[in-house]
Amino acid sequence: MTGSDALRRVLPVLLALAVTAAPLARYLPGWVVGLSAAMLLARGILLWQQRQLPPRWLVALAVAVPLVLLWLTLRTLIGREGGSALLLLLVGFKAFETFSLRDWRVLLALGFFLAATPLLFDQSPLAAGWLVLSLFSLTWAMAALHGKQPILASLRATLQALLLSLPLMLVLFVVMPRLPGPLWSIPAASATASSGLAEDMAPGSLSQLIPSNEPVFTAVFAGAAPPRRDFYWRVMLFDQFDGRRWFNAGVVDEPGGQVLGGNSVSYTLTVVPDKGRVPVLDLPGEVAEGLRERAGMVWRQPRPSDTRIRYRAGSHTGALLAEPLDASHLAYYRHLPAGNERTRALAASIRARSQGDEGYIRSLLEHFRLENFRYTLSPPLLEGGDIVDQFLFQTRQGFCEHYASAFAFLARAAGIPSRVVVGYQGGEYNPAGGYWQIRSSDAHAWVEVWLASRQSWWRVDPTAAVSPDRIEQGVEQAVPAVRAAVPILGGRPPAWIMALRQHWLAANFVWQQWVVGYDAGRQRSLFRSLGLGPEVDTAAVLKGLLLGAVLALLPLWWWWRSLPPREPLLVGWLLLAQRLRRAGVAVTSADTPAELLQRGTSLGEADREQLAALLDAYVGLRYRTREEAAPLAARRWLRGVRRFRPSARR
Amino acid sequence: MSWPRWWRALRFRSHLQAWLVRRLPPSAQWTLRHQRIYLLPTSFGWMLLGVALAIWVGALNYAVSLAYALSFWIIGLLLVSVLMAYRQLAGLTLQAGTADPVFAGEVTHFSIRLDNPSGWSRTLQGHLAGSTGRTSACQLSPHSSVWLSLPLATTQRGLLAMPALALSCDVPFGLIRAFAYVRLRQQALVYPVPQADVSGHRQGVSGEGEALSTAGDDEFSHLAAYRDGDTPRQIAWKVLARRDVLTSKRFAGAVAGGCRVLDWHDYPPGDDAESRLSRLAWRVLECEREQHCYRLRVPGAEVGPQPHQREQALALLARYGETP
């Protein structure tokens, strides 16, 4: 293809590819996107100036350079980042060896594939909007490349085709079976750049998460939700202390324990697992399908993936975890490294004046409550050794990890087995969506102590003793720095903005639940509620397709039957006769324009003049005008008829 | 668009085309209905279907819900394209026109009238089966008709029946091609190729024992349109008075030098028919050029001076030896 015709046909293709690739700029190395954009631009310029393409072998040779560079940057050419970057580079270079119509069509087909890649990174409503834009520009590029229609007609055909295929898409989306698992194994998610909880708990490891305030997971309760203070979401368990940080030594591996008492609640969680870790409400019952239980009642994915999952779970709030411990376990949960002598002395003194293990724990909580401790997001740094001593006797300012760490230490110092649980506490209820949103700012750490009298673990939250607001109302109330604020101006945003935000979040939640999260499970429950069948099997799918086809074909049928716009002269003539009849003029359907004017003598002067002008124009358009000029003038005449409202004369 | 070699080896399309054409009875007029319209994806259509399936597999594997939507939307687009392509042909009425006679080796044009009875415009292409010529594209506005002229190279004299007409279209996206084959009853007359015959044998005036010139110089033969140089004596005054048309009377043997006789038997018996016909055709053209009266004789038929003598004479030559 050559010449200006080629430019008109091919430029939309380059444009569509640029639109399609644009969202990848957020996720891929800058030079990959930049290079591809430059290639597309350069191809457009070559086309504009009608210059020769470089020889194919040169293009093939040149593509090797960025591929090596890509390997050096990402260390892979497959998977999410690698695959997308590879495809994007190939599209850029392919444009440089594209000449025939067939070549351009191959490029366009690659563009459709490229449109799918940003979805691997983001499936928000915004990404969906961009997908529609990409699809529109690619489809229009197809019509433009075909080149047999003027621009306006091709735009209309594009819009028409996309709108007509939308219901077909929706039907297939709902009905086509979803598989519960992947076809082949996906490379494990990279451990980079996650905003999740850290591998261990040292001073500052949780408080750094708070300002990011990102959504972590949502919970929908079946029936009434428990009170907010019972919202302890377990994620990780740390059972050893090395003088600075708490961590999981991985020695105790077998799950054990039995949940005693408590109020049972059932709920559904939607979460993107963080390295296979998923939250569950304290204390969980039967482990959900597809997940495993690890030591200390925390749940894990057997194979970590970073796609969003949803699972139903049941829990018992306010329950005890009964687990008999033998001597070796007791020693393990009492182990402390050397150091922090003042803390050990404090433990001994409190132990001496309290009765039994439970009494000691209560005395510890009392100590935190009364001894002027402060709950703050930015406590003074704890440097060097004996950090528990420093915290308890000097700084006395800390976040939940400081309190949990010190409390677990104090318990062990008095010979009581203890461990630290890290997860989330609280959540924000969205009344518009009927769900609880848990954010990274809800990250929390608490302690479990083992009571010999009951042979079970008991949850103790020292932060609650220091700052009851944190537990009752959330971190926003307890720490002013976290409160939502208007940028620059400061202050709390007005109520309507908060309400709007709630609705936007609720819409996002529905989107997540029903569009992004439409999986095999959702499909099964939808099929059941639609009465298509108890399972997603061949019969049910066929039934669904049939039913859907009927619905999807309705707009197609309507389009097929849609009548063309009627001829304006005819429409106007009928309208004119109707208006005259309403004004009391006896008009028959066989009247000629001259006869009509004759009958119009009963009208007022102004009306008659207007009628004469209209009829004159009509005769001109009908019998004198050349065909080419007619449509516009006829439309103008029709507008004139619409404005003509003769009044009846007494 | 070129097909891969293995595909061409299968010759699927040509087999299909031959089979479709064989089923068609010729008719003077056709209206395209669903029995006659075939729909197949183009190679671009197949390619896009492949892309949709690849996206679907990716969506399955990575559990990307929106990628399902994209894949299904592309499939929906293909389905809608099928309907859009079908709508371009459905309801179209075709009518055979006439084809101008040409000499063998020239290109004749079959004309077909396309009527669009519907309220939407159509963009389509016509192509004659077996013709290597370019396809003719045409645009039809709503409720309009258009004449499509399709070229076909001729090789042989005689009556050339119009080959099957392939109408196709792949608007708006080039994904799906709708096509229909129709056979319209239309024939083109192909004259023999004129072959120069300057041997000058027996070019003489007629009258050797034949009735023509002896029948009298003033014997009235026929009426013809007035030509410059006709004498007032020749003008048919009665016709002029009655119909106001200037007409000349033609008289057998009235032209100076008498009528030439172009005879099949002017050539030695060894000459084959085609070369005789070609040379006779040349001589007919020569006489026409010189505006010389002539009389063409082939075994079993004769064309004397008469209206449209050139066409009559050439047609006689073209159809010589045709089994009735």
Side-chain angles (χ1 to χ4, degrees), chain A residues 283-414:
Chain A
L283 288 157
E286 193 78 15
V287 69
E289 196 184 323
L291 297 173
R292 300 273 163 75
E293 188 188 319
R294 291 285 182 78
M297 286 276 176
V298 290
W299 288 5
R300 294 284 177 272
Q301 276 187 309
R303 278 175 24 78
S305 86
D306 57 359
T307 52
R308 196 176 299 266
I309 60 166
R310 180 176 44 233
Y311 49 94
R312 294 178 66 87
S315 289
H316 304 271
T317 58
L320 288 176
L321 177 58
E323 183 180 16
L325 294 182
D326 58 22
S328 67
H329 280 97
L330 284 174
Y332 181 73
Y333 286 118
R334 284 173 179 154
H335 172 76
L336 278 180
N340 294 309
E341 293 307 325
R342 288 184 69 185
T343 308
R344 286 171 196 269
L346 176 71
S349 78
I350 296 178
R351 176 94 208 185
R353 61 178 152 88
S354 48
Q355 293 183 335
D357 289 355
E358 275 183 65
Y360 175 68
I361 299 298
R362 287 185 211 287
S363 304
L364 281 184
L365 290 175
E366 205 58 20
H367 177 79
F368 277 117
R369 187 158 30 237
L370 299 177
E371 288 289 320
N372 199 22
F373 280 93
R374 264 187 60 212
Y375 181 69
T376 170
L377 193 54
S378 45
L381 284 179
L382 301 173
E383 298 284 345
D386 292 346
I387 61 163
V388 184
D389 279 2
Q390 282 183 47
F391 169 65
L392 284 180
F393 299 102
Q394 289 166 26
T395 65
R396 297 203 169 190
Q397 295 178 34
F399 203 60
C400 56
E401 67 261 36
H402 299 83
Y403 293 101
S405 174
F407 195 93
F409 188 97
L410 282 165
R412 285 192 178 190

Side-chain angles (χ1 to χ4, degrees), chain A residues 223-309:
Chain A
R228 199 175 184 287
R229 63 172 177 276
D230 283 337
F231 279 21
Y232 281 87
W233 307 97
R234 289 173 89 92
V235 180
M236 278 190 287
L237 188 88
F238 299 139
D239 54 12
Q240 286 304 304
F241 185 58
D242 69 354
R244 181 166 187 86
R245 61 190 186 100
W246 285 86
F247 61 101
N248 194 317
V251 176
V252 180
D253 213 13
E254 71 280 11
Q258 197 187 353
V259 178
L260 290 182
N263 304 314
S264 77
V265 288
S266 123
Y267 52 95
T268 309
L269 291 181
T270 308
V271 61
V272 179
D274 174 30
K275 303 182 196 85
R277 298 189 280 253
V278 296
V280 64
L281 193 64
D282 214 24
L283 288 157
E286 193 78 15
V287 69
E289 196 184 323
L291 297 173
R292 300 273 163 75
E293 188 188 319
R294 291 285 182 78
M297 286 276 176
V298 290
W299 288 5
R300 294 284 177 272
Q301 276 187 309
R303 278 175 24 78
S305 86
D306 57 359
T307 52
R308 196 176 299 266
I309 60 166

